[in-house]
Amino acid sequence: MRSNAAAGKTRAAPGVGADVLEVAVIGAGQAGLSAAYHLVRMGFTPYDEVLVLDRNTEPGGAWQHRWDSLTMHDVHGIANLPGVPVPSSAGAERANEFVPAYFADYEKQFDLPVLRPVAVESVRPAADGFELDTSNGSYHAASIVNATGTWDRPFIPWYPGIETFEGRQLHTADYRGAAELAGQHVLVVGGGASAVQLLAEISAVAKTTWVTRRPPEWRTGEDFTPEYGRQVVARVEERVRAGLPPRSVVSVTGLHLRPQEQAAADRGVYTRLPMFSRITKDGVEWASGDHLQVDTILWATGFRADLAHLAPLHLREPSGGIRMNGTATVIDPRIQLVGYGPSASTIGANRAGFTAARALRNLLKPVAA
């Protein structure tokens, strides 16, 4: 017997030994919950046929790990989970509390079959589908919906001398607030939306310098409407259909300066420098020989898809990407990836959850379909 911490219920262990799940969903963030909701509504029996394995000890996906100073006023919008809208927000609530509470209520309302904490360590082919080696034993499933997102794979590029720096280096994933950086000279590396936001709040208490590989492209005069969002997703999807590594959404949309960042812009915070060529023990150095002394390097350099546990399935193309047809991997339609590529945004994740569930219903329950 195993305990389902989210629902507070004890059930027989599904998918263990000779029993085979129809669908194992890996991850209980936005995409995973959306997929689970639609799978149950399309006729997959909770716990017996579909099970969600989540590595976290509590509901909330990656949101529970965000920094405390990130408020609902700061986030770029949370899409409604299917069937239940996001609760009204005053804006001042901490995102790492507000969103997890929404997810927890959602799991409870629909009695979604979430088992936690269960970390999936590897997924291997098996005669009847797939075998999942986890921190909670082995599970067997006829199909997989992978919804592990990117949070657990922060990306820090290598530069000569990176190991010699005697100050502090941290990634966005490690950031907990500007107070711990007060009075320092902080070098923020990266050209994404997180860099823009963190520069605004850190520069209020510390000296900052911003470096990016390419000059930032600012989006002006165009609201991020649903239609524009669909166009952006379509452009990102072109790459994964071709088996190329997915681009970030912001690389397509450009950067947007929000009202809460205007004061930082007025102070000249968003004057960027080109990338340095090497890191020294007390700062960074450019090819010209110019040197900048800093106390902390904050890598706002994004994340990569968290797919290492799928390595035994050999999904990647020589280009490094995974060739996709919608949410299905071209190599095997029983493997559905949600929260990957065009479905990495919250809106895209919801749509991907439905698409993956429908594809697996058609594949595994064709009579019902």
Side-chain angles (χ1 to χ4, degrees), residues 6 31 39 42-43 47 59 78 131 173 180 188 205 235 284 316 318 327 329 333 346-347:
L39 285 164
M42 291 180 188
Y47 297 100
I78 306 300
E131 183 169 354
E180 62 182 0
V188 178
V205 299
R235 291 173 64 184
V284 295
R316 292 197 181 275
T327 57
T329 63
T346 57
I347 295 175

Side-chain angles (χ1 to χ4, degrees), residues 50-70:
V50 59
L51 184 67
V52 184
L53 303 175
D54 186 39
R55 75 178 65 186
N56 291 293
T57 58
E58 301 291 339
W63 286 100
Q64 63 193 288
H65 305 301
R66 308 266 179 165
W67 51 96
D68 291 347
S69 58
L70 183 70

Side-chain angles (χ1 to χ4, degrees), residues 121-125 307-316 322:
E121 295 156 359
S122 70
V123 180
R124 296 180 283 112
L307 302 176
H309 55 289
L310 302 183
L313 302 178
H314 303 292
L315 301 177
R316 292 197 181 275
I322 299 173

Side-chain angles (χ1 to χ4, degrees), residues 143-160:
S143 64
I144 299 295
V145 175
N146 191 82
T148 46
T150 62
W151 184 260
D152 289 302
R153 278 208 64 202
F155 173 68
I156 296 179
W158 182 87
Y159 281 89

Side-chain angles (χ1 to χ4, degrees), residues 67 69 175-183 186 198 200-206:
W67 51 96
S69 58
Y175 179 75
R176 292 296 174 264
E180 62 182 0
L181 303 173
V186 181
L198 297 184
E201 61 180 68
I202 295 170
S203 65
V205 299

